[in-house]
Structure formats: C-alpha cells, structure tokens
Amino acid sequence: MIRIVPYETRDKEVWNRFNKEAKNGLFMFDRNYMDYHSDRFVDHSLLFYDGHKLLALLPCNVCGDTLYSHQGLTFGGFITQDSMRQSKMLDCFALLRDYMRTLGMRRLIYKSIPYIYHKSPANEDSYALFRNGAKLFRVDCSTTCYKNMRLNELKKRNVKKAEREDVSIEESTDMKGFVELLNAVLQERHGVMAVHTEAELRLLHSRFKENIILYLAKHKEVIVAGSLLFVYENCVHTQYLATNECGRKIGALDLLLKTLIDKYTQSKTYFDFGISTENEGRFLNEGLIFQKESFGGHTIVHNFYELLAGELPASNSLRGGGRFSESLESTSTDFIFTIHILFFIDFGLHFLACVNLSRLNPFFLNRAHLADSWNLANAARRFAW
C-alpha cells in the first residue's frame, strides 16, 4: 500500500540518495540546493513509500491553498527510479489528491521535467496528469542544440571577428565580476536584477563544483561576456548569459557559446539555451529565440499543469482497460464483497454479545465497545476504496 510522508530534515540523506540514483534526478533537487532559499518558500516536499520501499519524491512548496512543484525551481515533478510503473504512478496521483483534500489544498501547480533532462524515459507523470484531468495552462519554449550544431553565416562572421580581436575564453570563479556584468545588462534592458545574488551563487558553486561552472569572455583582460552553466548528466543548460556593448560589437558571446557547445557536445547529448517566452508562454521574444536558433537550436517545451484536488473520478476510471485489468477488477470485487460479509457477521456477533451482557450489566453496552465495530467498518471501507 502506498503512503505519503511529508519531508523532514532527518530525511535529507534518504532524499539525496534516492534523487542521485533516480532516472530523472537532478542536482537541483538535492536538498543542499533546494534548501538554500528555504527562507523564501514554505517547503512541503513529499516522499511516497510503497510499503517500506521509497517509491518516489515530489519537491513541493505550499502557498495559501495551492501546492507547487516547485516555485523555487526551474521545474519540479515526481522524481522516480527504474522501479516505477505506470499503474503505481496513477496510484501516487490518486493518493496525492486525497492528501491535498485532507489538508484543505485546492490545487497543484505542476512543472514537468523536460525529457532532455531524463537519464532514461520517465514520463509516467505525464500520462497520470492526463488521466486525472490536469489542465495544461502554460507552455514555455526553450531552444536546444542536439549534439552537432550548425551556425548560420552571421554567427560564423561574429566568431571570426571575436577571434581577430583576441577575445579569450576561460573557466572562472569570479562570481562578483560576472554578477556585476549580468545585473548591469538586466537593469539596462529589462529593469530587473538576477534571481540569484553573488553570495548565493558562491554558496551553490561551493556545494556543486562539477555542476555549476562559470565561463567568461575577456577582451584586453576586461570581462565582456559570460555564461553560468548548469551541467547535468545528459544536458548542459545556460542558466545565465550576458554580454555588454563592447562584447556585442566584437562577437564575444558568439565565440563563447561556440566554444562551450564544441566542448560539451563531445560528452553531452543536449545543449539547452533556456526559454524565450514571457507572460506565461503567451509572448514569444522573436529576437531572442532567433539568436539561439542561429546556433542550430530547436524547440523543446516546458509544460505547466493545474491539477484540482476535487473529487476523484468514478471508481476504477483511473485503472481501466484490457483483459488483465478486468480480471483484477473481478478478483478485487469478489474479495471486497467477502470482506463486507465477514464484517457484517462480526458486527452481528458483537451486537448479540453486547445485548446478552447488557442484561447482566447495562454499562457493558457502551460507546467504546460499539466504536470497535465502527473502526472495523471504516477499515473495510478504506480497503475497498
């Protein structure tokens, strides 16, 4: 029987070990990453156990009557291992909705993990979302290069220009210099600041040195462009990209990106530039996506779902279809019927015993004794459901 256990600090080691071995586990689901901004979000992550065996993780936070997976992460969703089966995922969603109703949560906002981040196929949640009537309310498009890239002519000219200008590319730990460049560009163009502070990036880099790597492009020893990479098992993601006016004129960012793509496509399947959409996917920044597509990238999507706690669909509607299913349904129905018959026999015997004892002493017929029978009845109902 599957059960839900809310995450507690004592579960950290178990959580991290499972995530590391999961078929869609990522370093940003590690508690050493997730907990860096624990002051901003009310964590409500969940562990799903099948008996005594850990079956799945669900990174979550709660805000009001809404459960999110996860507001503080690029995406969330169920983290699973190779032992996950589609029927088990359906059970997890049914139990999750029941859990949400019990706690008074109205809905779940669910950000699916894009397939390019999977170590092996892990879309059991997508089918379960469909079967539970989840609404797809937002789609962001991200631009991704698959192995070998093909630069367009403009990018080729920019790369050559940067090489003539002796732009150098180097791995760096100068988070201060990069964040200053990044925030200057963001302020100038969008009037905002980076999500991460310099201190946060230093902290995260110290915890995940193999996964969070900074590269800088310099011209005459001055930083003119930079990229902070998040490196996963099959994919590299440009978490941040920035270049100043000088860098744009001499093609520094184009040379930097070509260098990084050449480097990482030797060992990784995908090089992901990130999204080019705004306003929950309803606006496409065509200039931005053109720049990314100029490196040979194509679209993959980030899907966002809303799942209402609601009432579960009619009995068996989530687990139907096929002879095997019908056989299980028939066996289950017969077994449940037998349980009910045994319950009523037991209840009758309890009642007769109470009546006989009450003739000797009326206090034997009390609420505590009757409660035993009602507990048995409730147990039978829970099992039947």
Side-chain angles (χ1 to χ4, degrees):
M1 180 179 292
I2 299 176
R3 58 192 173 91
I4 293 177
V5 177
Y7 173 82
E8 297 181 12
T9 305
R10 65 186 180 187
D11 300 315
K12 180 177 180 177
E13 184 177 341
V14 172
W15 177 288
N16 286 346
R17 183 168 58 249
F18 186 94
N19 174 61
K20 189 173 183 179
E21 298 171 357
K23 60 183 180 177
N24 57 352
L26 304 172
F27 79 85
M28 71 175 177
F29 296 144
D30 188 287
R31 298 308 307 196
N32 291 313
Y33 185 99
M34 288 182 61
D35 294 342
Y36 90 89
H37 52 24
S38 58
D39 58 320
R40 299 184 211 167
F41 304 97
V42 180
D43 189 83
H44 199 100
S45 297
L46 303 172
L47 299 89
F48 289 72
Y49 282 88
D50 189 1
H52 295 292
K53 182 180 180 181
L54 183 56
L55 180 65
L57 308 174
L58 186 61
C60 289
N61 71 282
V62 65
C63 183
D65 61 0
T66 301
L67 188 65
Y68 291 88
S69 186
H70 182 296
Q71 280 183 299
L73 300 172
T74 308
F75 30 76
F78 274 95
I79 303 165
T80 61
Q81 296 186 352
D82 288 333
S83 59
M84 175 56 73
R85 297 293 179 264
Q86 187 62 66
S87 60
K88 290 289 186 182
M89 183 59 77
L90 290 173
D91 290 340
C92 286
F93 268 87
L95 185 61
L96 175 60
R97 295 178 72 188
D98 190 42
Y99 174 84
M100 291 168 60
R101 289 195 298 273
T102 300
L103 295 186
M105 297 178 185
R106 187 174 63 87
R107 62 176 186 159
L108 166 69
I109 300 300
Y110 189 96
K111 300 191 282 186
S112 296
I113 304 171
Y115 74 91
I116 63 172
Y117 293 91
H118 297 173
K119 301 169 190 173
S120 61
N123 279 127
E124 290 86 1
D125 60 339
S126 296
Y127 180 69
L129 286 162
F130 163 70
R131 290 294 295 272
N132 279 270
K135 177 185 176 182
L136 178 64
F137 72 92
R138 171 179 172 180
V139 177
D140 286 334
C141 63
S142 183
T143 307
T144 303
C145 293
Y146 174 73
K147 293 186 178 179
N148 297 327
M149 65 170 184
R150 295 181 180 178
L151 293 177
N152 68 11
E153 291 303 315
L154 176 61
K155 294 301 180 187
K156 289 179 181 178
R157 289 197 297 272
N158 286 344
V159 167
K160 290 180 180 178
K161 182 190 299 183
E163 291 173 339
R164 288 195 301 270
E165 292 287 339
D166 291 325
V167 173
S168 62
I169 308 298
E170 61 185 54
E171 185 176 335
S172 176
T173 57
D174 184 9
M175 294 295 177
K176 182 176 185 296
F178 175 68
V179 171
E180 287 176 353
L181 169 69
L182 177 63
N183 283 331
V185 173
L186 289 174
Q187 276 289 311
E188 175 191 345
R189 298 203 157 198
H190 306 287
V192 298
M193 303 287 279
V195 173
H196 296 89
T197 65
E198 176 199 340
E200 288 172 340
L201 289 180
R202 285 187 178 280
L203 174 65
L204 292 173
H205 177 259
S206 70
R207 294 177 178 179
F208 301 96
K209 291 184 178 179
E210 295 182 0
N211 303 104
I212 300 176
I213 306 175
L214 174 65
Y215 288 91
L216 299 176
K218 291 185 176 181
H219 182 239
K220 297 178 181 179
E221 298 304 313
V222 176
I223 300 173
V224 292
S227 177
L228 186 71
L229 300 183
F230 277 18
V231 181
Y232 301 97
E233 186 163 324
N234 294 328
C235 177
V236 176
H237 171 66
T238 56
Q239 184 70 15
Y240 290 112
L241 287 172
T243 185
N244 59 20
E245 185 62 31
C246 175
R248 282 189 286 273
K249 288 181 178 178
I250 62 176
L253 185 60
D254 292 336
L255 176 61
L256 172 61
L257 287 173
K258 181 185 182 300
T259 302
L260 295 179
I261 294 172
D262 286 343
K263 173 182 174 64
Y264 283 102
T265 52
Q266 301 300 314
S267 58
K268 308 296 180 183
T269 306
Y270 302 102
F271 190 96
D272 183 35
F273 285 104
I275 67 171
S276 301
T277 44
E278 304 168 24
N279 190 25
E280 296 195 333
R282 291 176 175 82
F283 175 78
L284 176 65
N285 187 326
E286 295 187 15
L288 180 59
I289 199 170
F290 172 79
Q291 295 297 327
K292 298 172 181 179
E293 290 174 338
S294 297
F295 286 94
H298 297 281
T299 295
I300 62 104
V301 296
H302 293 196
N303 289 330
F304 294 68
Y305 295 90
E306 178 187 48
L307 176 63
L308 300 179
E311 289 295 327
L312 286 177
S315 177
N316 198 41
S317 64
L318 293 182
R319 295 287 297 275
R323 294 179 183 176
F324 183 67
S325 175
E326 290 169 4
S327 174
L328 286 177
E329 292 160 14
S330 176
T331 302
S332 176
T333 301
D334 291 342
F335 184 69
I336 292 167
F337 179 76
T338 302
I339 290 292
H340 286 168
I341 291 297
L342 290 174
F343 159 67
F344 284 115
I345 292 173
D346 182 83
F347 184 88
L349 292 174
H350 272 66
F351 182 80
L352 291 175
C354 291
V355 171
N356 288 330
L357 288 172
S358 68
R359 292 174 180 172
L360 299 175
N361 187 342
F363 291 102
F364 275 105
L365 189 58
N366 57 35
R367 288 181 296 174
H369 189 82
L370 289 175
D372 290 339
S373 295
W374 284 115
N375 286 335
L376 179 61
N378 285 330
R381 280 195 292 271
R382 286 197 299 272
F383 185 84
W385 179 84

